Amino acid sequence: MRLRLPEERPTEPPTGYKIAHPVLSQDGTRAGFTGVSLGGALPYGVLADASCVYGLRHAAPHRRCDCGFHCVHDRATAEALLCTAEHRTAVLLDVLVLGRYLRFELGFRYARQRVRTATVGPCACGTVAAALADAGWGRPGWRGLEPSCAGCLRGRTAVSLAGFARLAGEGLRVVAGTGAASAPDLPEGLGVPELVAEAALLQARLDWFQSQLARLGKRGAGDGG
């Protein structure tokens, strides 16, 4: 006799929370996420279907496999994962569970998902993040990103939070979490945080270009002597 688990037919898609690393395509035209565990090698978009990470042909999620997207029920449980050293630069995702799913004690393993909101943690210096910048690692064709304030960009490839949301598409919201302090060069009271972040990002890039031009000027003067 085979035990059959009860089937759920919710009127609304279940919701859950997970963490992931934001990524930007090599040409800078697409944005997405990559998992922190089994699915880390396979970047995915805001609306995506799961596949078996082991290359097996069965549909995900399969009861006898670990494949499929994973999320937990409780936001605090997902936030706790951000405390580990390897996950400090990940972002918190609020997701809709779509398609087939398997329920377990802490959350779901499921076939399809839509990322509704990505909450970006503070920069490594403790300041509220204004952008997502090159983290120094990646996957083929994709750059890993990490939260950064305007002052810590230092010429790295970067995209503002609003810019990341536009590139990712599908109505994604990207919001900055709290930090130890507000960025000193982000003006307050504008009422449009996305424009403030864009302005800070452009200013940081301009500062870097000016420093490079100054270096080239000094080098040229030295060669002429």
Coordinates of all heavy atoms in Angstrom, one line a residue, residues 43-136:
P43 N 22.0 30.9 -12.8 CA 21.3 32.2 -12.6 C 19.9 32.1 -13.1 O 19.6 31.4 -14.1 CB 22.1 33.2 -13.4 CG 23.5 32.6 -13.5 CD 23.3 31.2 -13.6
Y44 N 19.0 32.8 -12.4 CA 17.5 32.8 -12.8 C 17.0 34.2 -12.8 O 17.5 35.1 -12.2 CB 16.7 31.9 -11.9 CG 16.8 32.2 -10.5 CD1 15.9 33.1 -9.9 CD2 17.7 31.5 -9.6 CE1 16.0 33.4 -8.5 CE2 17.7 31.8 -8.3 CZ 16.9 32.7 -7.7 OH 16.9 33.0 -6.4
G45 N 15.9 34.4 -13.5 CA 15.2 35.7 -13.6 C 14.2 35.9 -12.6 O 13.9 35.0 -11.7
V46 N 13.5 37.0 -12.6 CA 12.4 37.3 -11.7 C 11.3 36.3 -11.8 O 10.7 35.8 -10.8 CB 11.8 38.7 -11.9 CG1 10.6 39.0 -11.1 CG2 12.9 39.7 -11.7
L47 N 10.9 35.9 -13.0 CA 9.9 34.8 -13.2 C 10.7 33.7 -13.9 O 11.2 33.8 -15.0 CB 8.8 35.3 -14.2 CG 7.7 34.4 -14.5 CD1 6.9 34.0 -13.2 CD2 6.7 35.0 -15.5
A48 N 10.7 32.5 -13.2 CA 11.6 31.4 -13.7 C 11.0 30.1 -13.4 O 10.2 29.9 -12.4 CB 13.0 31.6 -13.1
D49 N 11.4 29.1 -14.2 CA 11.0 27.7 -13.9 C 12.2 27.0 -13.5 O 13.4 27.2 -13.9 CB 10.5 27.0 -15.2 CG 9.2 27.7 -15.7 OD1 8.2 27.5 -15.0 OD2 9.2 28.3 -16.7
A50 N 12.0 26.1 -12.5 CA 13.1 25.3 -12.0 C 13.4 24.1 -12.9 O 12.6 23.6 -13.6 CB 12.8 24.8 -10.6
S51 N 14.7 23.7 -12.8 CA 15.1 22.4 -13.5 C 16.0 21.6 -12.6 O 16.5 22.2 -11.6 CB 15.8 22.8 -14.8 OG 17.0 23.6 -14.6
C52 N 16.2 20.4 -12.9 CA 17.0 19.5 -12.0 C 18.4 19.9 -12.1 O 19.0 20.0 -13.2 CB 16.8 18.1 -12.4 SG 17.8 16.9 -11.4
V53 N 19.0 20.3 -11.0 CA 20.4 20.7 -11.0 C 21.4 19.6 -11.3 O 22.6 19.8 -11.6 CB 20.8 21.4 -9.6 CG1 20.0 22.6 -9.4 CG2 20.6 20.4 -8.5
Y54 N 20.9 18.4 -11.3 CA 21.8 17.2 -11.6 C 21.7 16.8 -13.0 O 22.3 15.8 -13.4 CB 21.4 16.0 -10.7 CG 21.5 16.3 -9.2 CD1 20.4 16.5 -8.4 CD2 22.8 16.5 -8.6 CE1 20.5 16.8 -7.0 CE2 22.9 16.8 -7.2 CZ 21.7 17.0 -6.5 OH 21.8 17.3 -5.1
G55 N 20.9 17.5 -13.8 CA 20.8 17.2 -15.2 C 19.8 16.1 -15.5 O 19.8 15.6 -16.7
L56 N 19.1 15.6 -14.5 CA 18.1 14.5 -14.8 C 16.9 15.0 -15.5 O 16.6 16.2 -15.4 CB 17.7 13.8 -13.5 CG 18.9 13.3 -12.6 CD1 18.4 12.7 -11.3 CD2 19.6 12.2 -13.5
R57 N 16.2 14.2 -16.2 CA 15.1 14.6 -17.1 C 13.7 14.8 -16.4 O 12.8 15.2 -17.0 CB 15.0 13.7 -18.3 CG 16.2 13.7 -19.2 CD 16.0 12.8 -20.4 NE 17.2 12.8 -21.3 CZ 17.3 12.1 -22.4 NH1 16.3 11.3 -22.7 NH2 18.4 12.2 -23.1
H58 N 13.7 14.4 -15.1 CA 12.4 14.5 -14.5 C 12.0 16.0 -14.2 O 12.9 16.9 -14.2 CB 12.3 13.7 -13.2 CG 13.4 14.1 -12.2 ND1 14.4 13.3 -11.7 CD2 13.7 15.3 -11.6 CE1 15.2 13.9 -10.9 NE2 14.8 15.1 -10.8
A59 N 10.7 16.2 -14.1 CA 10.2 17.6 -13.8 C 10.5 17.9 -12.3 O 10.4 17.1 -11.4 CB 8.7 17.7 -14.0
A60 N 10.9 19.2 -12.1 CA 11.2 19.6 -10.7 C 9.9 20.2 -10.1 O 9.1 20.8 -10.9 CB 12.3 20.7 -10.7
P61 N 9.6 20.0 -8.8 CA 10.4 19.3 -7.9 C 10.0 17.8 -7.9 O 8.9 17.4 -8.1 CB 10.0 19.9 -6.5 CG 8.6 20.3 -6.8 CD 8.5 20.7 -8.2
H62 N 11.0 16.9 -7.8 CA 10.8 15.5 -7.7 C 10.9 15.0 -6.3 O 11.8 15.4 -5.6 CB 11.8 14.8 -8.6 CG 11.4 13.3 -9.0 ND1 11.7 12.3 -8.1 CD2 10.8 12.8 -10.0 CE1 11.2 11.2 -8.6 NE2 10.7 11.5 -9.8
R63 N 10.1 14.1 -5.9 CA 10.1 13.6 -4.5 C 11.4 12.9 -4.1 O 11.8 12.9 -3.0 CB 8.9 12.7 -4.2 CG 7.5 13.4 -4.3 CD 6.4 12.4 -3.9 NE 5.1 13.0 -4.1 CZ 4.6 13.9 -3.2 NH1 5.2 14.2 -2.1 NH2 3.4 14.4 -3.5
R64 N 12.0 12.3 -5.1 CA 13.3 11.6 -4.8 C 14.5 12.3 -5.2 O 15.6 11.7 -5.4 CB 13.2 10.2 -5.5 CG 12.1 9.3 -5.0 CD 12.1 8.0 -5.7 NE 11.0 7.1 -5.3 CZ 10.8 5.9 -5.8 NH1 11.6 5.4 -6.7 NH2 9.7 5.2 -5.3
C65 N 14.4 13.6 -5.3 CA 15.5 14.5 -5.7 C 15.5 15.8 -4.9 O 14.5 16.1 -4.2 CB 15.5 14.8 -7.2 SG 16.9 15.6 -7.8
D66 N 16.6 16.5 -4.9 CA 16.6 17.8 -4.2 C 16.3 19.0 -5.1 O 16.4 20.1 -4.6 CB 18.1 18.0 -3.6 CG 18.4 17.0 -2.6 OD1 17.6 16.5 -1.9 OD2 19.6 16.7 -2.5
C67 N 15.9 18.7 -6.3 CA 15.7 19.8 -7.3 C 14.5 20.6 -7.0 O 13.6 20.3 -6.2 CB 15.6 19.2 -8.7 SG 14.2 18.1 -8.9
G68 N 14.5 21.8 -7.7 CA 13.4 22.7 -7.5 C 13.8 24.0 -6.7 O 14.9 24.0 -6.1
F69 N 13.1 25.0 -6.8 CA 13.4 26.2 -6.0 C 13.0 25.9 -4.5 O 12.1 25.1 -4.3 CB 12.5 27.4 -6.5 CG 12.9 27.9 -7.8 CD1 12.0 28.0 -8.9 CD2 14.2 28.4 -8.0 CE1 12.4 28.5 -10.1 CE2 14.6 28.9 -9.3 CZ 13.7 29.0 -10.3
H70 N 13.7 26.6 -3.6 CA 13.4 26.4 -2.2 C 13.1 27.8 -1.6 O 13.7 28.8 -1.9 CB 14.6 25.8 -1.5 CG 15.0 24.4 -1.9 ND1 15.5 24.1 -3.1 CD2 14.9 23.2 -1.3 CE1 15.7 22.8 -3.2 NE2 15.3 22.3 -2.1
C71 N 12.2 27.8 -0.6 CA 12.0 29.0 0.2 C 11.5 28.6 1.6 O 11.1 27.4 1.8 CB 11.0 29.9 -0.5 SG 9.3 29.4 -0.5
V72 N 11.5 29.5 2.5 CA 11.0 29.2 3.8 C 9.7 30.1 4.1 O 9.5 31.1 3.4 CB 12.0 29.5 4.9 CG1 13.2 28.6 4.8 CG2 12.5 31.0 4.8
H73 N 8.9 29.6 5.1 CA 7.7 30.4 5.4 C 7.9 31.7 6.0 O 7.2 32.7 5.8 CB 6.8 29.5 6.3 CG 6.4 28.2 5.7 ND1 5.7 28.1 4.5 CD2 6.6 26.9 6.2 CE1 5.5 26.8 4.3 NE2 6.0 26.1 5.3
D74 N 8.9 31.7 6.9 CA 9.1 32.9 7.8 C 10.2 33.8 7.4 O 11.4 33.3 7.1 CB 9.4 32.3 9.2 CG 9.5 33.4 10.3 OD1 8.5 34.2 10.4 OD2 10.5 33.5 10.9
R75 N 10.0 35.1 7.3 CA 11.0 36.0 6.9 C 12.2 36.0 7.8 O 13.4 36.1 7.4 CB 10.4 37.4 6.9 CG 11.4 38.5 6.4 CD 10.7 39.9 6.6 NE 11.7 40.9 6.2 CZ 11.6 41.6 5.1 NH1 10.7 41.3 4.2 NH2 12.5 42.5 4.8
A76 N 12.0 35.9 9.1 CA 13.1 35.9 10.1 C 14.0 34.7 9.9 O 15.2 34.8 10.1 CB 12.5 35.9 11.5
T77 N 13.5 33.6 9.5 CA 14.3 32.4 9.2 C 15.2 32.7 8.0 O 16.4 32.3 8.1 CB 13.4 31.2 8.9 OG1 12.6 30.9 10.0 CG2 14.3 30.0 8.6
A78 N 14.7 33.3 7.0 CA 15.6 33.6 5.8 C 16.6 34.7 6.2 O 17.8 34.6 5.8 CB 14.7 34.1 4.7
E79 N 16.2 35.7 7.0 CA 17.1 36.8 7.4 C 18.3 36.2 8.2 O 19.4 36.7 8.2 CB 16.4 37.8 8.2 CG 15.5 38.7 7.3 CD 14.7 39.7 8.1 OE1 14.4 39.4 9.3 OE2 14.4 40.8 7.6
A80 N 18.0 35.2 9.0 CA 19.0 34.6 9.8 C 20.2 34.0 9.0 O 21.3 34.0 9.4 CB 18.4 33.5 10.7
L81 N 19.8 33.5 7.8 CA 20.9 33.0 6.9 C 21.9 34.1 6.4 O 23.0 33.7 6.1 CB 20.2 32.4 5.7 CG 19.3 31.2 5.9 CD1 18.6 30.8 4.6 CD2 20.0 30.0 6.6
L82 N 21.5 35.3 6.5 CA 22.3 36.4 6.1 C 23.4 36.7 7.1 O 24.3 37.5 6.8 CB 21.5 37.7 5.8 CG 20.5 37.6 4.7 CD1 19.6 38.9 4.7 CD2 21.2 37.5 3.3
C83 N 23.4 36.1 8.2 CA 24.4 36.3 9.3 C 25.7 35.5 9.0 O 26.7 35.9 9.5 CB 23.8 35.9 10.6 SG 22.5 36.9 11.2
T84 N 25.6 34.5 8.2 CA 26.8 33.7 7.9 C 27.7 34.4 7.0 O 27.3 35.2 6.2 CB 26.4 32.3 7.3 OG1 25.8 32.5 6.0 CG2 25.5 31.5 8.2
A85 N 29.0 34.2 7.1 CA 30.1 34.9 6.4 C 29.9 34.8 4.9 O 30.0 35.8 4.2 CB 31.4 34.4 6.8
E86 N 29.5 33.7 4.4 CA 29.4 33.5 2.9 C 28.2 34.1 2.4 O 28.0 34.2 1.1 CB 29.5 32.0 2.6 CG 28.4 31.1 3.2 CD 28.7 30.5 4.5 OE1 29.5 31.2 5.3 OE2 28.2 29.4 4.8
H87 N 27.2 34.5 3.2 CA 25.9 35.0 2.7 C 25.7 36.5 3.1 O 24.7 37.0 2.9 CB 24.8 34.2 3.3 CG 24.8 32.8 2.9 ND1 24.2 31.8 3.6 CD2 25.4 32.1 1.8 CE1 24.4 30.6 3.1 NE2 25.1 30.8 2.0
R88 N 26.8 37.1 3.6 CA 26.6 38.5 4.1 C 26.2 39.5 2.9 O 25.5 40.5 3.2 CB 27.9 39.0 4.7 CG 28.2 38.4 6.1 CD 27.2 38.9 7.1 NE 27.5 38.4 8.4 CZ 28.2 38.9 9.4 NH1 28.8 40.1 9.1 NH2 28.4 38.3 10.5
T89 N 26.6 39.2 1.7 CA 26.3 40.1 0.6 C 25.1 39.6 -0.2 O 24.8 40.3 -1.3 CB 27.5 40.2 -0.4 OG1 27.9 38.9 -0.9 CG2 28.7 40.8 0.4
A90 N 24.4 38.6 0.2 CA 23.2 38.2 -0.5 C 22.1 39.1 -0.2 O 22.1 40.0 0.7 CB 22.8 36.7 0.0
V91 N 21.0 39.0 -0.9 CA 19.8 39.8 -0.7 C 18.6 38.9 -0.3 O 18.6 37.7 -0.6 CB 19.4 40.6 -2.0 CG1 20.6 41.5 -2.4 CG2 19.1 39.7 -3.2
L92 N 17.7 39.5 0.3 CA 16.5 38.8 0.8 C 15.4 38.9 -0.2 O 15.0 40.0 -0.7 CB 16.0 39.4 2.2 CG 14.7 38.8 2.7 CD1 15.0 37.4 3.2 CD2 14.2 39.6 3.9
L93 N 14.8 37.8 -0.7 CA 13.8 37.8 -1.7 C 12.5 37.4 -1.1 O 12.4 36.4 -0.3 CB 14.2 36.8 -2.8 CG 15.5 37.0 -3.5 CD1 15.6 35.9 -4.6 CD2 15.6 38.4 -4.0
D94 N 11.4 38.1 -1.5 CA 10.1 37.8 -1.2 C 9.5 37.2 -2.5 O 9.5 37.9 -3.5 CB 9.3 39.1 -0.8 CG 7.8 38.9 -0.6 OD1 7.3 37.8 -0.9 OD2 7.2 39.8 -0.2
V95 N 9.0 35.9 -2.4 CA 8.6 35.2 -3.6 C 7.2 34.7 -3.6 O 6.7 34.4 -2.5 CB 9.6 34.0 -3.9 CG1 11.0 34.5 -4.1 CG2 9.5 33.0 -2.8
L96 N 6.7 34.5 -4.8 CA 5.4 33.8 -5.0 C 5.7 32.4 -5.4 O 6.5 32.2 -6.3 CB 4.5 34.5 -6.0 CG 3.7 35.7 -5.6 CD1 3.0 36.2 -6.8 CD2 2.8 35.4 -4.5
V97 N 5.1 31.4 -4.8 CA 5.3 30.0 -5.1 C 4.3 29.6 -6.2 O 3.1 29.6 -5.9 CB 5.2 29.1 -3.9 CG1 5.3 27.6 -4.3 CG2 6.3 29.4 -2.8
L98 N 4.8 29.3 -7.4 CA 3.9 29.0 -8.5 C 4.1 27.5 -8.9 O 5.1 26.9 -8.7 CB 4.2 29.9 -9.7 CG 4.1 31.4 -9.4 CD1 4.6 32.2 -10.6 CD2 2.7 31.8 -9.0
G99 N 3.1 27.0 -9.6 CA 3.2 25.6 -10.1 C 3.1 24.6 -9.0 O 2.7 24.8 -7.9
R100 N 3.7 23.4 -9.3 CA 3.7 22.3 -8.3 C 4.6 22.6 -7.2 O 5.7 23.2 -7.4 CB 4.1 21.0 -9.0 CG 3.2 20.4 -10.0 CD 3.8 19.2 -10.7 NE 4.0 18.1 -9.7 CZ 5.3 17.7 -9.4 NH1 6.3 18.3 -9.9 NH2 5.4 16.8 -8.5
Y101 N 4.3 22.2 -6.0 CA 5.2 22.4 -4.8 C 5.0 21.3 -3.8 O 4.0 20.6 -3.8 CB 4.9 23.7 -4.2 CG 3.6 23.9 -3.5 CD1 3.3 23.5 -2.3 CD2 2.6 24.6 -4.2 CE1 2.0 23.6 -1.7 CE2 1.3 24.8 -3.6 CZ 1.1 24.4 -2.4 OH -0.2 24.5 -1.8
L102 N 6.1 21.1 -3.1 CA 6.1 20.1 -2.0 C 6.3 20.9 -0.7 O 7.2 21.8 -0.6 CB 7.3 19.1 -2.1 CG 7.3 18.3 -3.4 CD1 8.5 17.4 -3.5 CD2 6.0 17.4 -3.5
R103 N 5.4 20.7 0.2 CA 5.5 21.5 1.5 C 6.3 20.7 2.5 O 6.2 19.5 2.6 CB 4.1 21.7 2.1 CG 4.1 22.5 3.4 CD 2.7 22.6 3.9 NE 1.8 23.4 3.1 CZ 1.7 24.7 3.3 NH1 2.4 25.3 4.3 NH2 0.8 25.4 2.6
F104 N 7.2 21.3 3.2 CA 7.9 20.7 4.4 C 7.8 21.6 5.6 O 7.1 22.6 5.5 CB 9.4 20.4 4.0 CG 10.2 21.5 3.6 CD1 11.0 22.2 4.5 CD2 10.2 22.0 2.3 CE1 11.8 23.2 4.2 CE2 11.0 23.1 1.9 CZ 11.8 23.7 2.9
E105 N 8.4 21.2 6.6 CA 8.2 21.9 7.9 C 8.5 23.4 7.8 O 7.7 24.2 8.4 CB 9.0 21.3 9.0 CG 8.8 21.9 10.4 CD 9.6 21.2 11.5 OE1 10.4 20.3 11.2 OE2 9.5 21.6 12.6
L106 N 9.6 23.7 7.2 CA 10.0 25.1 7.2 C 9.6 25.9 6.0 O 9.7 27.1 6.0 CB 11.6 25.2 7.3 CG 12.2 24.7 8.6 CD1 13.7 24.8 8.6 CD2 11.6 25.5 9.8
G107 N 9.2 25.2 4.9 CA 8.9 26.0 3.7 C 8.4 25.1 2.6 O 7.7 24.1 2.7
F108 N 8.8 25.5 1.3 CA 8.4 24.8 0.1 C 9.6 24.5 -0.8 O 10.6 25.1 -0.7 CB 7.5 25.7 -0.7 CG 6.2 26.2 0.0 CD1 6.1 27.4 0.5 CD2 5.1 25.4 0.0 CE1 5.0 27.9 1.2 CE2 3.9 25.8 0.6 CZ 3.9 27.0 1.2
R109 N 9.4 23.4 -1.6 CA 10.2 23.1 -2.7 C 9.3 23.1 -3.9 O 8.3 22.3 -3.9 CB 11.0 21.8 -2.5 CG 12.0 21.5 -3.6 CD 13.0 20.5 -3.1 NE 12.5 19.2 -2.7 CZ 12.3 18.1 -3.5 NH1 12.6 18.2 -4.8 NH2 11.8 17.0 -3.1
Y110 N 9.6 23.9 -5.0 CA 8.6 24.1 -5.9 C 9.1 24.3 -7.4 O 10.3 24.4 -7.6 CB 7.8 25.3 -5.5 CG 8.6 26.5 -5.2 CD1 8.8 27.6 -6.1 CD2 9.2 26.6 -3.9 CE1 9.5 28.7 -5.8 CE2 10.0 27.8 -3.6 CZ 10.1 28.8 -4.5 OH 10.9 29.8 -4.2
A111 N 8.2 24.3 -8.3 CA 8.5 24.3 -9.8 C 8.8 25.6 -10.4 O 9.6 25.8 -11.3 CB 7.4 23.5 -10.5
R112 N 8.0 26.7 -9.9 CA 8.1 28.0 -10.6 C 8.0 29.1 -9.6 O 7.3 28.9 -8.5 CB 7.0 28.1 -11.6 CG 7.1 29.1 -12.7 CD 6.1 28.9 -13.8 NE 6.5 29.7 -15.0 CZ 5.7 30.7 -15.5 NH1 4.6 31.0 -14.9 NH2 6.1 31.3 -16.5
Q113 N 8.6 30.2 -9.8 CA 8.5 31.3 -8.8 C 8.5 32.7 -9.5 O 9.0 32.8 -10.6 CB 9.6 31.2 -7.8 CG 11.0 31.7 -8.3 CD 12.0 31.7 -7.3 OE1 11.8 31.2 -6.1 NE2 13.2 32.1 -7.6
R114 N 8.0 33.6 -8.8 CA 8.1 35.0 -9.2 C 8.7 35.8 -8.0 O 8.1 35.7 -6.9 CB 6.7 35.6 -9.5 CG 6.8 37.1 -9.9 CD 5.4 37.7 -10.1 NE 4.8 37.2 -11.3 CZ 5.0 37.7 -12.5 NH1 5.9 38.7 -12.7 NH2 4.4 37.2 -13.6
V115 N 9.8 36.5 -8.2 CA 10.4 37.3 -7.2 C 9.6 38.6 -7.1 O 9.6 39.3 -8.1 CB 11.9 37.5 -7.4 CG1 12.5 38.3 -6.3 CG2 12.6 36.2 -7.5
R116 N 9.0 38.9 -6.0 CA 8.3 40.2 -5.9 C 9.1 41.3 -5.4 O 9.1 42.4 -6.0 CB 7.1 40.0 -4.9 CG 6.1 38.9 -5.4 CD 4.8 39.0 -4.6 NE 5.0 38.7 -3.2 CZ 4.1 38.7 -2.3 NH1 2.8 39.0 -2.6 NH2 4.3 38.4 -1.0
T117 N 9.9 41.1 -4.4 CA 10.7 42.1 -3.8 C 12.1 41.6 -3.4 O 12.2 40.5 -2.9 CB 10.1 42.7 -2.5 OG1 8.7 43.1 -2.8 CG2 10.8 43.9 -2.0
A118 N 13.1 42.4 -3.7 CA 14.5 42.1 -3.2 C 14.9 43.2 -2.3 O 14.9 44.4 -2.6 CB 15.4 42.0 -4.4
T119 N 15.3 42.8 -1.1 CA 15.7 43.7 0.0 C 17.2 43.6 0.1 O 17.8 42.6 0.4 CB 15.1 43.5 1.3 OG1 13.7 43.5 1.2 CG2 15.5 44.5 2.3
V120 N 17.9 44.8 -0.2 CA 19.4 44.8 -0.3 C 19.9 45.3 1.1 O 19.5 46.3 1.6 CB 19.8 45.8 -1.4 CG1 21.4 45.8 -1.4 CG2 19.3 45.3 -2.7
G121 N 20.8 44.5 1.6 CA 21.4 44.9 2.9 C 22.4 46.1 2.8 O 22.6 46.6 1.7
P122 N 23.0 46.5 3.9 CA 23.9 47.6 3.9 C 25.2 47.3 3.2 O 25.6 46.2 3.0 CB 24.1 47.9 5.4 CG 23.9 46.6 6.0 CD 22.8 45.9 5.3
C123 N 25.9 48.4 2.8 CA 27.3 48.3 2.3 C 28.2 47.7 3.4 O 27.9 47.7 4.6 CB 27.8 49.6 1.9 SG 29.5 49.7 1.3
A124 N 29.3 47.1 3.0 CA 30.3 46.6 4.0 C 30.7 47.6 5.0 O 31.1 47.2 6.1 CB 31.5 46.0 3.2
C125 N 30.7 48.9 4.7 CA 31.1 49.9 5.6 C 29.9 50.2 6.6 O 30.1 51.0 7.5 CB 31.5 51.2 4.9 SG 30.1 52.1 4.1
G126 N 28.8 49.7 6.4 CA 27.6 49.9 7.3 C 26.6 50.9 6.8 O 25.6 51.1 7.4
T127 N 27.0 51.6 5.7 CA 26.1 52.6 5.2 C 25.0 52.0 4.3 O 25.2 50.9 3.7 CB 26.9 53.6 4.3 OG1 27.9 54.2 5.1 CG2 26.0 54.7 3.7
V128 N 23.8 52.6 4.3 CA 22.7 52.1 3.5 C 23.2 52.0 2.0 O 23.8 52.9 1.5 CB 21.5 53.0 3.6 CG1 20.4 52.6 2.7 CG2 21.0 53.0 5.0
A129 N 22.9 50.9 1.4 CA 23.3 50.7 0.0 C 22.6 51.6 -1.0 O 21.4 51.8 -0.9 CB 23.1 49.2 -0.4
A130 N 23.3 52.2 -1.9 CA 22.8 53.0 -3.0 C 22.9 52.2 -4.3 O 22.2 52.6 -5.3 CB 23.5 54.3 -3.1
A131 N 23.7 51.2 -4.4 CA 23.9 50.5 -5.7 C 24.3 49.0 -5.4 O 24.5 48.6 -4.2 CB 25.0 51.2 -6.4
L132 N 24.3 48.2 -6.4 CA 24.9 46.9 -6.4 C 26.1 46.9 -7.3 O 26.0 47.2 -8.5 CB 23.8 45.9 -6.9 CG 22.6 45.7 -6.0 CD1 21.5 45.0 -6.7 CD2 23.0 44.9 -4.7
A133 N 27.3 46.5 -6.7 CA 28.5 46.7 -7.4 C 29.2 45.3 -7.6 O 28.9 44.4 -6.9 CB 29.5 47.6 -6.6
D134 N 30.1 45.3 -8.5 CA 30.9 44.0 -8.8 C 31.5 43.5 -7.5 O 32.3 44.2 -6.9 CB 32.0 44.4 -9.9 CG 32.6 43.1 -10.4 OD1 32.5 42.0 -9.8 OD2 33.3 43.2 -11.5
A135 N 31.2 42.3 -7.2 CA 31.7 41.7 -6.0 C 33.0 40.9 -6.1 O 33.5 40.3 -5.2 CB 30.6 40.7 -5.4
G136 N 33.5 40.8 -7.4 CA 34.8 40.2 -7.6 C 34.7 38.7 -7.9 O 35.7 38.0 -8.0

